[in-house]
Amino acid sequence: MTTVHVYPRGDLIEHNTDSDDCTCGPDIEPVFRDDGSNGWLIVHHSLDGREIGKPTTTAPMPDD
């Protein structure tokens, strides 16, 4: 299973990318592959609010 973290660089805190337990309260999304397996996309939020009003995009997960 693949887990990909997307997090802001240079934020007010250091984001926990070792698990989904981060102060920022990240969004966690399953990403399903054509073969029926899945990975996880964990999108962290900045504490300085830089992503407010910006669209987000999700790329397909790479195969393991």
Side-chain angles (χ1 to χ4, degrees):
M1 180 171 21
T2 303
T3 300
V4 175
H5 289 261
V6 178
Y7 60 96
R9 295 174 54 186
D11 198 11
L12 300 175
I13 64 165
E14 185 172 332
H15 293 266
N16 180 355
T17 58
D18 294 327
S19 74
D20 60 4
D21 184 29
C22 184
T23 303
C24 73
D27 293 329
I28 303 169
E29 302 177 32
V31 178
F32 298 97
R33 298 184 185 101
D34 292 338
D35 67 2
S37 66
N38 74 291
W40 295 95
L41 176 65
I42 302 178
V43 180
H44 295 259
H45 305 285
S46 68
L47 267 63
D48 61 13
R50 68 181 84 176
E51 76 274 1
I52 295 175
K54 292 184 180 178
T56 59
T57 58
T58 303
M61 295 288 288
D63 291 334
D64 285 340

